[in-house]
Amino acid sequence: MSDEKNKKTDEGLQGNEKIESAVAALQREPSEEMLAHTLTVIRRRMKEGGQLIVDVEPSVAGAVTSEDGQTWWTAFTSFEEEVKGSGSVMSTFLSDMEELFTAAVSENGISGVIINPWNRTIMLDKMLLKIILGRDV
């Protein structure tokens, strides 16, 4: 059964369930150790060529504003995560994690990337993105 499920999942998304599991563990047990573990899992997926689902126009529709007024790009680990909270179907594409994170770090108008904003959410601000990318913070 799991082989059948994987055939339906785009190759670039296979393995993203590791991110979902790490974020779920972080939500259950918020600590610096669990955050470090989660960032390591995300970095490993990025280095494997992992992809996330993003809106075609992340600067407009694919952005959300948090309660404190900051603007964030949204990205999803799977199509199932994408449809959980959206009332309408967005035009999406698969983006290389490293390219997305690099663009987010250099984009002045945003604070970072929220992965899976509806469920198993992690907000990666620019400092965390730089850690994942292996850059000086």
Side-chain angles (χ1 to χ4, degrees):
M1 195 66 148
S2 64
D3 285 344
E4 197 174 301
K5 183 182 175 194
N6 283 343
K7 287 177 187 169
K8 293 179 185 173
T9 302
D10 191 280
E11 199 174 304
L13 300 176
Q14 289 179 15
N16 283 357
E17 65 279 355
K18 296 173 191 168
I19 295 173
E20 294 170 14
S21 296
V23 170
L26 175 63
Q27 289 174 335
R28 280 192 306 273
E29 184 190 323
S31 67
E32 287 190 22
E33 292 81 12
M34 287 306 297
L35 176 60
H37 169 72
T38 303
L39 296 179
T40 300
V41 169
I42 294 170
R43 182 178 196 175
R44 199 171 293 140
R45 279 295 299 136
M46 179 187 78
K47 295 290 184 192
E48 293 170 358
Q51 296 178 319
L52 294 171
I53 301 166
V54 296
D55 193 351
V56 170
E57 296 183 48
S59 59
V60 186
V64 295
T65 303
S66 54
E67 290 180 15
D68 58 5
Q70 295 184 61
T71 302
W72 301 77
W73 284 348
T74 57
F76 303 90
T77 53
S78 67
F79 289 105
E80 291 81 14
E81 287 296 326
E82 178 199 4
V83 298
K84 281 183 180 168
S86 77
S88 61
V89 176
M90 299 182 293
S91 296
T92 59
F93 70 100
L94 296 178
S95 175
D96 178 81
M97 287 183 186
E98 190 164 5
E99 289 176 20
L100 177 67
F101 296 162
T102 300
V105 167
S106 62
E107 181 68 36
N108 287 331
I110 65 153
S111 298
V113 176
I114 299 176
I115 296 179
N116 296 337
W118 321 126
N119 180 44
R120 293 190 182 164
T121 302
I122 186 163
M123 296 174 82
L124 301 172
D125 63 19
K126 291 185 180 192
M127 184 183 81
L128 294 178
L129 290 171
K130 287 178 183 177
I131 291 169
I132 292 168
L133 289 165
R135 299 193 181 153
D136 294 333
V137 178

